[in-house]
Amino acid sequence: ALESAAMESAILSGEMPPWPANPEYSHFVGENVLTASEEQAILNWIANGAPEGTGSAPPIPSYNDGYVIGTPDEIVQVPAYTVGSNDDEYRSFVVQSTSDVERFIGGIEFEPGNTEIVHHILAFYDPTNTSQQLDAASPGEGFPSNGGSFPSDQAVLIGVWVPGMEPTIFLHSLAIPLPGGADFVFEVHYAPGSIGQNADIHMRIDYKDDLFIRTVYHDPLLFHGPPSLTVPLFIPANTVQTFHETSIQAPIDISLISVFPHMHLLGQEFKVFGVTATNDTIPVIHVDDWDFHWQYSYQMPNMIRLPQGSRLHGYATYDNTPNNPENPNSPPIDVGLGEGTEDEMMVCFFMYTPYLNGDENLDMVQVREPTLISEPLLTYPNPTASRLWIDIPNNWHHAPRVLATDMQGRSTELTSTWQYGRIELNTESLAAGSYHLQFVYDQQIRTTRFIKQ
């Protein structure tokens, strides 16, 4: 009876299933949302005494020992460290590269170990030796950091873990390039009250060996500082405050893959949308019920095109009053920007890639293998010096992806100009020789060959 009552309370309050984003604003992969009929069916079952079903019990699911990436290509272990402070502590750890060859990260999964003490984890790669020097100059494992800067000027963010975070799995040809010899650097934020404790942290990685790779970038395009946020992030005691931040204009068309908004305990609401150069609005996400304990990197079921000249806008609301049950201070005190759990942040990370025609139609939930059509496409003039025209089916309504592969197996993606029934390719960047062309349109693959003079 107690379990049924707790279940009923969690459903009616919206606490379960956990999904802070508003599904009426935008949709994401893996939404933990009950429909009205599903919710009512559970409530009716509880009201009838929660009887056991009459059918066969379903099989116990297998979870690969709790991991989504069950057989990773590499497991990166963060050095063991005993927390040395009872306040918020930030410590960065270097794990030296295991390969001098460039690799492509297709999936990342974090195991934070002791979740009672790990507030968040930022994972970078550093192609310089700066992080190693900082590590060598600091006694003990790792080196102190401040939570607000990259470990070096050339370091690149590759992953984030916060409570509730799911693994990142890139479909299609999307991946994060990892230069040969680049070290992994992990910045760990240990929560207050963790002194003397340890966390067993590691990261699982899947690498891709696709013929060509589309680079994924991972950046805080909305950030709690200039030029994104032009006023101080400051919430006086006993007030509710809303802040507005903007991104720079998109220099090219980009495709948004995922969005990860982040605040702390005073956060109530975070809304993000794009505005194009012609003032069209592009909904991205509306977290209308912020919960610090359930934070997600929300992946779009189809990539969202952000045209050149667009800006991203973020609006975040904070409640620093006694009405906020998560307020860590009673009575409330003034709260400003900071990395500590009881400070506040307003940052939104995005994974994105340069836009290609048809990105909006790519299924980001499940990859379906394209069908190879043996009939080659008509190509002219052949041989060619700089321009190539290809007749394409009339039912192709956008330019396909075009991959040129030389006789040594080296591949280059070519830019194409689409016209009804024909596309034009610029081949000036290619060296002289014979090439195999592959055209990918939705779920079709067509091929042809040509000679570059």
Side-chain angles (χ1 to χ4, degrees):
L2 290 176
E3 291 84 355
S4 296
M7 186 185 302
E8 181 179 30
S9 174
I11 291 174
L12 292 174
S13 67
E15 180 183 358
M16 289 290 166
W19 191 254
N22 181 355
E24 296 181 0
Y25 188 75
S26 55
H27 289 290
F28 299 98
V29 175
E31 290 180 339
N32 291 328
V33 177
L34 291 176
T35 65
S37 60
E38 290 170 337
E39 182 177 305
Q40 192 58 53
I42 297 173
L43 295 176
N44 290 342
W45 172 72
I46 293 172
N48 290 327
E52 183 176 349
T54 57
S56 301
I60 298 175
S62 173
Y63 294 105
N64 294 317
D65 295 327
Y67 299 108
V68 174
I69 303 177
T71 55
D73 294 315
E74 184 172 12
I75 298 178
V76 184
Q77 181 76 44
V78 176
Y81 175 71
T82 301
V83 180
S85 171
N86 248 338
D87 299 323
D88 288 284
E89 182 174 357
Y90 303 86
R91 194 84 178 175
S92 290
F93 305 92
V94 181
V95 179
Q96 295 189 15
S97 173
T98 57
S99 175
D100 292 330
V101 177
E102 182 180 39
R103 294 173 291 178
F104 302 95
I105 298 173
I108 292 179
E109 182 172 13
F110 289 95
E111 172 49 56
N114 187 351
T115 55
E116 295 295 321
I117 70 172
V118 178
H119 178 285
H120 74 250
I121 304 166
L122 299 179
F124 306 84
Y125 74 70
D126 186 358
T128 74
N129 62 0
T130 302
S131 299
Q132 290 189 30
Q133 292 175 351
L134 292 170
D135 194 5
S138 179
E141 289 290 351
F143 57 92
S145 50
N146 59 18
S149 62
F150 281 33
S152 81
D153 291 341
Q154 297 183 45
V156 172
L157 180 69
I158 60 173
V160 177
W161 181 88
V162 292
M165 181 69 75
E166 296 289 335
T168 297
I169 308 293
F170 296 119
L171 301 184
H172 307 287
S173 54
L174 298 165
I176 299 176
L178 175 65
D183 297 326
F184 292 111
V185 184
F186 299 87
E187 182 183 67
V188 183
H189 175 185
Y190 298 99
S194 304
I195 190 169
Q197 298 188 58
N198 298 273
D200 181 19
I201 302 170
H202 55 271
M203 178 176 71
R204 293 181 165 221
I205 302 179
D206 261 353
Y207 294 110
K208 282 192 172 180
D209 56 1
D210 292 16
L211 194 58
F212 71 103
I213 292 292
R214 295 184 62 188
T215 297
V216 173
Y217 300 91
H218 191 189
D219 293 311
L221 301 181
L222 294 174
F223 191 72
H224 43 226
S228 186
L229 182 63
T230 58
V231 298
L233 184 65
F234 180 72
I235 309 103
N238 299 302
T239 67
V240 176
Q241 301 285 329
T242 298
F243 297 86
H244 174 212
E245 57 188 5
T246 60
S247 72
I248 63 170
Q249 287 185 304
I252 59 172
D253 288 11
I254 63 174
S255 295
L256 301 180
I257 300 166
S258 67
V259 56
F260 167 42
H262 179 64
M263 302 186 287
H264 288 176
L265 297 169
L266 301 185
Q268 299 293 297
E269 184 177 0
F270 205 141
K271 189 174 188 177
V272 177
F273 54 89
V275 177
T276 69
T278 56
N279 287 321
D280 288 330
T281 299
I282 303 171
V284 177
I285 189 171
H286 183 195
V287 180
D288 58 357
D289 186 19
W290 175 260
D291 189 338
F292 177 77
H293 308 287
W294 292 99
Q295 301 183 50
Y296 294 89
S297 178
Y298 297 88
Q299 180 182 320
M300 290 78 172
N302 300 96
M303 288 189 278
I304 295 176
R305 180 188 180 188
L306 194 69
Q308 182 181 18
S310 302
R311 291 185 188 272
L312 291 164
H313 293 257
Y315 285 87
T317 299
Y318 302 83
D319 185 348
N320 191 10
T321 74
N323 295 327
N324 179 2
E326 293 288 339
N327 197 327
N329 302 299
S330 182
I333 63 172
D334 294 349
V335 174
L337 174 65
E339 294 283 339
T341 307
E342 297 186 6
D343 300 318
E344 268 306 334
M345 299 179 70
M346 182 182 176
V347 62
C348 194
F349 293 89
F350 295 82
M351 289 190 179
Y352 61 95
T353 190
Y355 173 80
L356 290 179
N357 285 322
D359 274 355
E360 307 95 326
N361 302 317
L362 285 178
D363 186 347
M364 301 300 287
V365 180
Q366 182 178 7
V367 176
R368 299 185 302 275
E369 292 297 329
T371 301
L372 177 64
I373 299 176
S374 58
E375 181 183 354
L377 297 175
L378 180 60
T379 306
Y380 53 91
N382 193 3
T384 184
S386 60
R387 290 290 187 274
L388 195 64
W389 286 269
I390 299 97
D391 288 341
I392 60 176
N394 288 330
N395 62 353
W396 286 16
H397 301 300
H398 59 78
R401 287 181 171 82
V402 184
L403 187 69
T405 304
D406 65 16
M407 300 303 291
Q408 285 73 45
R410 295 170 298 195
S411 299
T412 303
E413 188 164 1
L414 299 181
T415 301
S416 62
T417 302
W418 172 74
Q419 298 177 356
Y420 209 74
R422 191 178 77 170
I423 61 172
E424 178 184 352
L425 294 179
N426 183 342
T427 62
E428 290 180 346
S429 63
L430 299 177
S434 178
Y435 289 86
H436 174 268
L437 281 179
Q438 185 181 77
F439 303 85
V440 181
Y441 179 88
D442 292 345
Q443 296 306 307
Q444 299 180 36
I445 296 179
R446 303 286 285 268
T447 63
T448 191
R449 294 182 179 276
F450 79 99
I451 296 173
K452 167 66 185 298
Q453 292 178 325

